Amino acid sequence: KDVKIAILPGDGIGPEIMDEAVRVLNALDENFEMEWADVGGAGYAAHGHPLPEGTLKLAKEADAVLFGAVGDFKYDTLERSLRPEQAILGLRKNLKLFANLRPAILYPELAGASTLKPEVVSGLDLLIVRELTGDIYFGQPRGHREAPDGPFKGAREGFDTMRYAEPEIRRIAHIGFQTAQKRGKRLTSVDKANVLETSQLWREIVIDVSKDYPDVKLDHMYVDNAAMQLVRAPKELDVILTGNIFGDILSDAAAMLTGSIGMLPSASLDENNKGLYEPSHGSAPDIAGKGIANPLAQILSAAMMLRYSLNRGEQADRIEKAVKKVLADGLRTGDIYEEGTKRVGTREMGDAVVAAL
Amino acid sequence: KDVKIAILPGDGIGPEIMDEAVRVLNALDENFEMEWADVGGAGYAAHGHPLPEGTLKLAKEADAVLFGAVGDFKYDTLERSLRPEQAILGLRKNLKLFANLRPAILYPELAGASTLKPEVVSGLDLLIVRELTGDIYFGQPRGHREAPDGPFKGAREGFDTMRYAEPEIRRIAHIGFQTAQKRGKRLTSVDKANVLETSQLWREIVIDVSKDYPDVKLDHMYVDNAAMQLVRAPKELDVILTGNIFGDILSDAAAMLTGSIGMLPSASLDENNKGLYEPSHGSAPDIAGKGIANPLAQILSAAMMLRYSLNRGEQADRIEKAVKKVLADGLRTGDIYEEGTKRVGTREMGDAVVAAL
Ligand SMILES: [Mg+2]
Ligand SMILES: [Mg+2]
């Protein structure tokens, strides 16, 4: 076998949508070894931990991880360290996944779902590359204290530290430029360099890294302006490179532009482009087991895996084209159903994608 | 005279749109004393400084400041401290204006200008209350250094400090609740309390302050979710209370929802509701002196001044209703012109608002 893929279906609708993604992968005529393991609530139920040792070992030795979704009402009362969501945090940390890739794609057939006018968003295809392990979400020191100085000296205050080190910016910038090379060869770096020292270093290093990618056109945008441009003319953007907190805000806004989060895949990569791939949506335990969940974000996550970790861009293209075809043919699961289209279940949707390959 | 208003027209289209706002104020039959002074490029040209001493003195002794816009190509080569924009920074600092109020209003007649579907944004009327003098934009320490610890210890890093002290949160929260009392009695506090220590204190203090305002319904939203909700269903929001950096991002996104920034006023308030009022748009030197600029944001800034600093909410209502009427009557300056409406100049638009009072 050429390639080993860890298959972690998780909870809720995870297993049923994962089945369809695996069927699509199997239909590609590649020599993939796939190995299943429990994760999230399923990991806790079977092994007493959301990220069981065997699951982590598998994820580490695999070439890529295809992840479903985790979480279920029945685990809500567990203590924090045993909750299903800890699985994804543990995987990110242990696999050193510092680059989060979140596409916001709106197929013309689904443009009606957006709150934006069709001419503004139809055909949207942008990608946010977000640094995932640094920035103010992790920077030390942080806490509550008596203000040591400033206009409110002596008062109780909360504080956090935004920090980015040069090598940390450099490695995410490389991912940004390499991603842009695989797409439209344009990269928009988002920062707040007119105000923040961290952003000034960010911009300096991104410009330095750009010298290695003369074929990619780099520009810079302040984060408040980027939030405006996402609303004004999102189709003018291609790849956005940004830090953890700005990426958190902008990637959620960009996803919402499409109006159908159930369609969006995502990736988290390490320094060697090994990655974890998962739908942006959750485990939807309320509809689990009914055969009505939308498997397309999971299938598109498999396509991202082929492109970014397994160096099989043509196979990724095949899957994405097949998804476009089933949408053009009018097939819809309940979450994206509109009058005049054909409502299908999870399995039927998977069948159609396999047939369209 | 009951009330003294400092009138600072500034540069570009500032003087001509200010003329119309003053005519509207004069038409109210109030006993206002108005005194003019140079600011921005005009201040530099007349007195060698963008915020001349006499202008600052007037702004300090006045009950409110009505500000036009500053900036012109011809001052672009001046050193930073003499540039027109320094005037507004100097006024904020000297007058201790820590609360920024930015409405995002979309009159149904102008709904076509938005990139969002009319049913999603038509009639939008939300207000962002943003803290303006603290947060990571001003927090010390900040700079570039060798990382003292962490996973990149020893590497060059950029860093900034997010900080909010209890009294600082308390005073902006009071403004937020009082603003909500003047509107729909609902307040959405936006933070990132699931990750940031600063936000945890923010949320704790906002909840504490809410006890003084039992008539206002308070809820909380994470900033990434707020960015999504602005796109998904902006009309469900009324008053948003947030810190400096989140407010910077969200208020620009909210303004862009309307598609016509030339229509939006803004206010910056101190602890006693004394404030500076200005349009959100700039000085547009390219169209200055042609009599075609849209005076409505300036006129609506005067209305905000009546409501928030001069305790004349009924007069503010009169002006806002008059603006609605001229729009309903089909009058449009060039920036908001659409087929089937009547194109008018700056003066004609001012005349129409005065007539509609
Ligand atoms: Mg988020
Ligand atoms: Mg801004």
Side-chain angles (χ1 to χ4, degrees):
Chain A
K1 300 273 173 174
D2 309 322
V3 158
K4 181 165 183 173
I5 304 171
I7 304 285
L8 312 185
D11 308 319
I13 60 171
E16 56 202 285
I17 60 176
M18 185 65 86
D19 280 351
E20 302 313 313
V22 167
R23 292 173 65 227
V24 170
L25 286 171
N26 280 330
L28 293 178
D29 272 323
E30 292 271 1
N31 204 13
F32 294 151
E33 180 187 348
M34 300 191 216
E35 191 173 330
W36 271 248
D38 293 319
V39 77
Y44 176 78
H47 309 278
H49 195 279
L51 182 57
E53 241 174 78
T55 304
L56 179 57
K57 185 166 168 291
L58 168 64
K60 280 185 170 171
E61 69 190 27
D63 297 292
V65 178
L66 191 59
F67 190 95
V70 292
D72 198 336
F73 311 122
K74 54 188 165 191
Y75 306 110
D76 279 357
T77 55
L78 287 176
E79 60 162 291
R80 199 183 178 107
S81 68
L82 295 176
R83 296 237 192 97
E85 310 81 69
Q86 293 299 315
I88 193 80
L89 298 177
L91 283 166
R92 278 183 188 163
K93 196 175 163 195
N94 278 286
L95 301 182
K96 300 188 171 61
L97 307 174
F98 65 87
N100 191 215
L101 271 57
R102 283 188 61 186
I105 292 171
L106 183 55
Y107 300 98
E109 293 82 7
L110 302 183
S114 173
T115 54
L116 276 77
K117 290 175 178 161
E119 64 271 27
V120 178
V121 281
S122 179
L124 177 70
D125 182 3
L126 70 83
L127 178 68
I128 298 188
V129 177
R130 167 190 173 193
E131 203 286 333
L132 203 54
T133 58
D135 205 349
I136 195 167
Y137 286 178
F138 294 93
Q140 293 291 342
R142 51 171 29 220
H144 293 183
R145 65 183 174 187
E146 195 175 290
D149 53 24
F152 298 91
K153 185 173 171 176
R156 193 158 67 107
E157 74 167 12
F159 70 107
D160 295 270
T161 304
M162 177 178 276
R163 294 169 65 168
Y164 266 122
E166 180 175 330
E168 202 174 11
I169 301 168
R170 209 169 272 285
R171 65 181 187 180
I172 189 74
H174 279 290
I175 301 259
F177 282 103
Q178 286 161 20
T179 304
Q181 281 184 322
K182 290 178 184 158
R183 295 177 40 110
K185 302 200 184 335
R186 292 190 298 125
L187 183 66
T188 301
S189 173
V190 170
D191 61 35
K192 189 71 185 175
N194 52 341
V195 183
L196 299 176
E197 300 279 349
T198 310
S199 285
Q200 281 159 23
L201 184 66
W202 176 279
R203 190 174 284 209
E204 177 192 324
I205 302 302
V206 169
I207 290 171
D208 192 51
V209 172
S210 74
K211 293 173 191 149
D212 293 352
Y213 303 90
D215 54 329
V216 176
K217 193 183 165 316
L218 169 68
D219 61 8
H220 305 272
M221 209 178 260
Y222 297 135
V223 60
D224 46 337
N225 186 29
M228 292 178 97
Q229 297 312 318
L230 280 178
V231 170
R232 191 189 68 82
K235 287 198 277 188
E236 290 180 13
L237 295 159
D238 187 347
V239 181
I240 291 175
L241 168 68
T242 191
N244 202 344
I245 187 170
F246 297 155
D248 186 13
I249 299 169
L250 295 180
S251 62
D252 281 338
M256 189 52 87
L257 294 176
T258 70
S260 42
I261 296 188
M263 291 293 299
L264 300 178
S266 77
S268 301
L269 305 180
D270 77 1
E271 205 136 15
N272 305 309
N273 290 317
K274 173 169 170 178
L276 180 151
Y277 298 82
E278 58 179 326
S280 287
H281 62 68
S283 57
D286 51 316
I287 61 162
K290 296 187 178 166
I292 59 173
N294 183 348
L296 292 177
Q298 187 75 65
I299 290 169
L300 291 167
S301 297
M304 280 191 92
M305 175 179 75
L306 291 162
R307 175 174 296 115
Y308 290 104
S309 285
L310 304 182
N311 220 350
R312 283 167 169 79
E314 359 47 80
Q315 297 286 36
D317 290 342
R318 275 182 75 195
I319 295 177
E320 288 165 358
K321 272 189 199 136
V323 168
K324 276 183 196 157
K325 180 163 189 314
V326 304
L327 292 172
D329 289 347
L331 270 55
R332 303 284 188 274
T333 44
D335 57 311
I336 53 174
Y337 176 78
E338 283 181 291
E339 230 181 51
T341 62
K342 186 179 174 215
R343 190 192 297 259
V344 298
T346 310
R347 169 53 53 104
E348 253 182 296
M349 187 60 102
D351 284 342
V353 175
V354 169
L357 277 173
Chain B
K1 300 276 174 175
D2 309 322
V3 158
K4 181 166 182 173
I5 304 171
I7 304 285
L8 313 184
D11 308 320
I13 60 172
E16 57 202 285
I17 61 176
M18 184 65 86
D19 280 350
E20 302 313 312
V22 167
R23 291 173 66 228
V24 170
L25 286 170
N26 280 329
L28 294 178
D29 273 323
E30 291 271 2
N31 205 12
F32 295 151
E33 180 188 348
M34 301 190 216
E35 191 173 330
W36 272 248
D38 293 319
V39 78
Y44 175 78
H47 310 279
H49 195 279
L51 182 56
E53 240 175 77
T55 303
L56 179 58
K57 185 167 169 288
L58 168 66
K60 280 185 170 172
E61 68 191 27
D63 297 293
V65 178
L66 191 59
F67 190 96
V70 294
D72 197 336
F73 312 123
K74 54 187 165 192
Y75 306 110
D76 279 356
T77 53
L78 287 176
E79 60 161 291
R80 199 184 178 106
S81 68
L82 295 177
R83 295 236 192 98
E85 312 80 66
Q86 293 299 315
I88 193 80
L89 297 176
L91 282 166
R92 279 183 188 164
K93 193 174 167 196
N94 278 284
L95 300 181
K96 300 189 170 61
L97 307 174
F98 65 88
N100 190 214
L101 271 57
R102 282 188 62 187
I105 292 171
L106 183 54
Y107 299 96
E109 292 82 8
L110 302 183
S114 173
T115 55
L116 276 77
K117 290 175 178 163
E119 64 271 27
V120 179
V121 281
S122 180
L124 177 70
D125 182 3
L126 70 81
L127 178 68
I128 297 188
V129 177
R130 165 189 174 193
E131 203 286 332
L132 202 55
T133 57
D135 204 350
I136 196 168
Y137 286 179
F138 295 93
Q140 295 288 343
R142 50 171 31 218
H144 292 182
R145 65 183 175 189
E146 196 175 287
D149 53 23
F152 298 92
K153 186 174 171 175
R156 193 159 66 108
E157 74 168 10
F159 71 107
D160 295 89
T161 305
M162 178 178 276
R163 293 170 66 169
Y164 265 123
E166 181 176 328
E168 201 174 13
I169 301 168
R170 208 169 273 283
R171 65 181 187 179
I172 189 75
H174 278 291
I175 301 260
F177 282 103
Q178 286 162 18
T179 305
Q181 281 183 323
K182 290 179 185 157
R183 295 175 40 109
K185 302 201 184 332
R186 292 190 297 125
L187 184 67
T188 301
S189 174
V190 170
D191 61 35
K192 188 71 186 176
N194 53 340
V195 182
L196 299 177
E197 300 279 349
T198 310
S199 285
Q200 280 158 23
L201 184 67
W202 176 280
R203 191 173 284 210
E204 177 193 327
I205 302 303
V206 169
I207 290 171
D208 192 50
V209 171
S210 75
K211 293 174 190 147
D212 293 351
Y213 303 89
D215 55 329
V216 176
K217 194 182 167 313
L218 170 68
D219 59 9
H220 305 271
M221 208 178 260
Y222 297 135
V223 60
D224 46 337
N225 186 28
M228 292 178 96
Q229 297 312 317
L230 279 178
V231 171
R232 191 189 67 82
K235 286 199 276 188
E236 289 179 14
L237 294 159
D238 187 347
V239 181
I240 291 175
L241 169 68
T242 190
N244 202 344
I245 185 169
F246 297 156
D248 186 13
I249 299 168
L250 295 180
S251 61
D252 281 338
M256 190 51 88
L257 295 176
T258 70
S260 43
I261 296 188
M263 291 293 299
L264 300 177
S266 78
S268 301
L269 305 180
D270 77 1
E271 203 135 16
N272 305 307
N273 290 317
K274 174 170 169 178
L276 179 151
Y277 298 82
E278 57 178 327
S280 288
H281 62 67
S283 57
D286 51 316
I287 60 161
K290 298 188 178 166
I292 59 173
N294 183 347
L296 293 176
Q298 187 76 64
I299 290 169
L300 291 167
S301 297
M304 281 191 91
M305 175 179 75
L306 291 163
R307 176 174 295 115
Y308 291 103
S309 285
L310 305 181
N311 221 351
R312 282 168 171 78
E314 356 51 76
Q315 298 284 37
D317 290 343
R318 275 181 75 195
I319 296 177
E320 287 165 0
K321 271 187 200 140
V323 168
K324 276 182 197 159
K325 181 165 188 312
V326 302
L327 292 172
D329 289 346
L331 270 55
R332 303 284 188 275
T333 44
D335 58 312
I336 53 175
Y337 176 77
E338 283 181 292
E339 229 180 51
T341 61
K342 186 180 173 214
R343 191 192 295 257
V344 298
T346 310
R347 169 52 53 101
E348 254 183 294
M349 187 60 103
D351 284 341
V353 174
V354 168
L357 276 173

